[in-house]
Amino acid sequence: MTSSLQSPFQGAGLSEVQPTPPSTDTPPLTIVIFGASGDLTHRKLVPALFDLMVDGLLHPETRILGVARSPKTHEEFRGELRASVQTFARSTNHLDLFSEFEKKIFYHPMTFDDPNGYTAIRTTLLSDEFRKPTRGNVLYYLATPPSYFVPIIRNLGSFGLAKINEDTGETPAPFTRIIVEKPFGRDLASARDLNREVLQVFAEPQVYRIDHYLGKETVQNIVVFRLSNPVFGNLWNNVFVKSVHISVHESVGVEGRGGYFEEAGILRDMVQNHLFQLMTLTAMEPPVAFEAESIRDEKVKVLRSLKPVRIDDLPRTIVRGQYTVGEVDGVPVQGYRNEPKIPPLSDTSTFVRMKVEIQNWRWAGVPFYLTAGKRMSKRETLVRIVFKDFPFALFRLAGTPGTVPNELIIRIQPNEGIALRFGIKKPGGSLMIDPVEMNFSYQQAYRAQAPEAYERLLHDAIVGDSTLFARNDEVENSWNFMAPFLGDLTKLSPLRFYTAGTDGPEEQDRIGEPSPA
Ligand code: BG6
């Protein structure tokens, strides 16, 4: 297994280089996308596959078979995808290559419970036009609403599509894999049920549970930065760290996904998956080897070390918020309860701040604050490590502001980079300490535009590297911890309202230390 964290995308500024010749390292395959009419396919998956092709990371004999309910021809589907690629792909200066790309695209209309549809997919995959050039390799992608996951998985099992390649005797043996989109369940019981369903049909190594935050270059860098820099790696513990703040602020609202969001809320939409990924990568022990199973083992240990939250601890552990009418970037926006498909008295949180504790030798006593919010003043994802002060502040005696909290700020997005905050003597006669920042910016340091998260993850699934995907026990342990937060919180943590375009409800500072500015 190759280390997934060694980027296959290193290179010069992509906007300035010519398309790379097609890869012979990535295997040919058919990618069957269930949910081919959906937003995810149009905004993320197909643009990412196009970008992979431009970067030479897609085998020329790749086939993409879109499956969805709406009747349409291959040609109509290709036309729709052309528009998506034009709008959402990174490599828009190589749109001339779309004519090459569209030759790989096919469409199959069916409802996800229709047996004839699965028979037709089987016939297609086994046909000479698909089987020979792709050497029988298949990757299914579940990009549908979650309610279709189980019916599709069961049908893939019943129609022999999960084992379409078994016992062919070929070398290398063709692979069959499946990518399952988030949300993977909506609580522990449903995640277990889904895992059981998936694992009845596929073996665990065939299953890729996606969390696109793991595909972000800056998220992968959390581990690389910690484990390659002794000056920081040696301070990464409760002897030196006072608190850890992980925040994902979004300026967008629910973006036409009101029906889904009302069911999910920010805890299921962002915290259980994206924020927990950021937390486990920040907190995990160095793995015994830099490969999928060792890294996932360490992440699971963090989840298992989370101090369980008792129901009566909830008021001290979580603050929930919901946005009201306001303005974001000078544009008026409506309140959550006025968004389409949201009931007028909805109790769903669009903001949370939670305090969690990791009970192990490294982190005991260090609070981790997790904050996620929609319709905040700006889009900003940060991991902020606040270091402990000296036990005695010498300069305070001189009547100065004293010490400056030392902070390491990992900017995940946007303005990707890392900053270190410290104090210096302000030039001049009097003894004053000024806070200053040492700043690293990816944009300034590298001309190359980093690949999109979905490019990285699709590529990893194609080459069979599961490091950046969640294992079943990871998902189950995170839902297990979340259980007390998923019940009715109206009394224990009443909803606090905040104006859209601000930084969340004032009450958030009731949970432990205020968020650093
Ligand atoms: C998705 C959530 O998983 O992540 C969305 O469902 C959210 O609600 C999105 O907006 C954020 O992703 P990114 O990459 O824009 O930070």
Side-chain angles (χ1 to χ4, degrees):
M1 167 137 345
T2 55
S3 159
S4 182
L5 295 171
Q6 282 166 2
S7 171
F9 298 99
Q10 287 151 354
L14 295 174
S15 55
E16 293 160 26
V17 292
Q18 290 304 308
T20 320
S23 163
T24 45
D25 298 339
T26 44
L29 81 167
T30 302
I31 304 172
V32 183
I33 304 178
F34 291 95
S37 305
D39 242 31
L40 181 68
T41 303
H42 285 261
R43 283 170 178 260
K44 300 288 183 190
L45 304 183
V46 170
L49 290 167
F50 177 75
D51 287 328
L52 284 176
M53 186 194 83
V54 173
D55 286 356
L57 292 167
L58 205 59
H59 194 285
E61 293 295 1
T62 299
R63 303 279 185 272
I64 300 164
L65 176 62
V67 179
R69 275 168 299 182
S70 32
K72 66 184 91 141
T73 62
H74 300 310
E75 274 318 310
E76 285 166 338
F77 186 51
R78 289 172 191 149
E80 287 174 12
L81 296 186
R82 177 184 286 272
S84 307
V85 165
Q86 270 165 358
T87 316
F88 299 112
R90 199 163 47 84
S91 322
T92 40
N93 50 343
H94 292 303
L95 284 177
D96 52 310
L97 295 180
F98 192 82
S99 49
E100 182 57 36
F101 184 65
E102 70 180 354
K103 290 184 198 147
K104 308 177 192 308
I105 298 172
F106 301 85
Y107 183 75
H108 179 62
M110 62 179 264
T111 54
F112 301 129
D113 54 0
D114 173 17
N116 296 330
Y118 293 92
T119 311
I121 294 178
R122 191 181 162 85
T123 309
T124 304
L125 292 178
L126 294 175
S127 68
D128 279 357
E129 201 190 346
F130 276 70
R131 179 74 178 79
K132 277 196 187 145
T134 61
R135 289 183 225 142
N137 295 322
V138 182
L139 174 64
Y140 301 108
Y141 200 120
L142 299 191
T144 62
S147 53
Y148 294 114
F149 290 176
V150 169
I152 296 173
I153 291 164
R154 285 188 183 163
N155 279 308
L156 292 176
S158 317
F159 288 85
L161 288 160
K163 301 196 168 27
I164 194 158
N165 287 316
E166 223 165 53
D167 306 328
T168 58
E170 289 156 284
T171 341
F175 62 77
T176 311
R177 301 185 182 128
I178 183 165
I179 301 183
V180 186
E181 253 302 327
K182 73 168 263 279
F184 199 93
R186 50 174 289 107
D187 53 21
L188 179 59
S190 55
R192 277 191 178 145
D193 286 347
L194 183 53
N195 267 331
R196 198 175 314 116
E197 293 279 354
V198 177
L199 297 176
Q200 253 164 32
V201 173
F202 294 92
E204 177 66 26
Q206 292 178 285
V207 184
Y208 290 68
R209 296 172 193 80
I210 202 163
D211 181 317
H212 79 279
Y213 266 54
L214 289 175
K216 292 181 191 271
E217 198 68 40
T218 44
V219 173
Q220 294 157 34
N221 186 53
I222 296 173
V223 179
V224 175
F225 177 79
R226 285 180 53 192
L227 302 182
S228 62
N229 293 293
V231 72
F232 296 109
N234 285 330
L235 303 182
W236 217 261
N237 56 51
N238 52 9
V239 179
F240 298 104
V241 173
K242 182 175 165 212
S243 57
V244 178
H245 301 251
I246 298 177
S247 51
V248 183
H249 287 195
E250 294 185 273
S251 53
V252 293
V254 294
E255 294 197 293
R257 296 190 305 157
Y260 153 77
F261 197 86
E262 178 59 15
E263 285 291 305
I266 199 97
L267 285 165
R268 291 184 170 93
D269 184 50
M270 298 294 292
V271 177
Q272 178 271 340
N273 35 71
H274 305 327
L275 274 94
F276 273 30
Q277 289 297 346
L278 295 172
M279 175 183 72
T280 49
L281 293 174
T282 303
M284 72 181 204
E285 292 302 312
V288 290
F290 219 57
E291 49 78 50
E293 292 315 313
S294 309
I295 293 175
R296 291 153 135 200
D297 286 347
E298 297 308 330
K299 288 167 69 190
V300 169
K301 283 188 210 161
V302 173
L303 295 168
R304 291 179 53 205
S305 312
L306 286 171
K307 183 179 173 190
V309 174
R310 294 193 321 259
I311 296 291
D312 50 355
D313 285 337
L314 284 168
R316 288 178 296 281
T317 310
I318 179 168
V319 170
R320 302 188 306 126
Q322 190 187 79
Y323 62 82
T324 56
V325 60
E327 237 181 49
V328 177
D329 291 332
V331 180
V333 297
Q334 54 195 347
Y336 177 72
R337 290 179 175 184
N338 300 110
E339 303 266 16
K341 301 195 186 152
I342 307 299
L345 292 178
S346 162
D347 186 58
T348 298
S349 341
T350 60
F351 171 98
V352 287
R353 182 166 196 236
M354 292 165 66
K355 177 182 172 188
V356 304
E357 291 174 55
I358 300 169
Q359 291 185 312
N360 64 17
W361 278 54
R362 183 184 290 271
W363 293 116
V366 180
F368 278 62
Y369 297 99
L370 311 183
T371 310
K374 298 258 178 210
R375 285 281 186 238
M376 309 291 275
S377 63
K378 56 177 186 267
R379 174 174 184 250
E380 188 176 67
T381 300
L382 302 177
V383 175
R384 188 189 296 261
I385 314 287
V386 180
F387 293 96
K388 285 183 176 165
D389 272 343
F390 283 131
F392 174 71
L394 179 65
F395 299 114
R396 209 180 291 272
L397 296 177
T400 76
T403 55
V404 166
N406 288 161
E407 291 179 15
L408 181 78
I409 301 155
I410 304 178
R411 293 190 305 271
I412 304 292
Q413 62 187 24
N415 305 324
E416 290 78 1
I418 298 178
L420 184 64
R421 278 200 185 159
F422 52 92
I424 57 146
K425 179 183 172 302
K426 187 175 179 183
S430 59
L431 184 59
M432 290 291 289
I433 299 173
D434 255 357
V436 291
E437 224 173 74
M438 226 154 48
N439 212 338
F440 160 74
S441 151
Y442 274 89
Q443 211 183 347
Q444 282 168 11
Y446 299 98
R447 279 164 46 238
Q449 196 188 350
E452 284 289 320
Y454 276 98
E455 287 172 57
R456 175 61 193 265
L457 296 174
L458 278 163
H459 181 267
D460 281 5
I462 293 170
V463 299
D465 186 342
S466 54
T467 311
L468 298 178
F469 294 82
R471 206 169 55 189
N472 56 359
D473 51 349
E474 202 175 332
V475 174
E476 291 187 9
N477 275 289
S478 60
W479 281 124
N480 186 36
F481 173 76
M482 290 296 287
F485 298 94
L486 302 177
D488 179 1
L489 296 181
T490 39
K491 293 218 172 57
L492 291 159
S493 173
L495 208 51
R496 312 289 179 176
F497 294 97
Y498 61 100
T499 309
T502 63
D503 287 332
E506 281 169 19
E507 291 85 351
Q508 64 186 287
D509 290 343
R510 287 189 187 166
I511 302 283
E513 317 158 32
S515 300

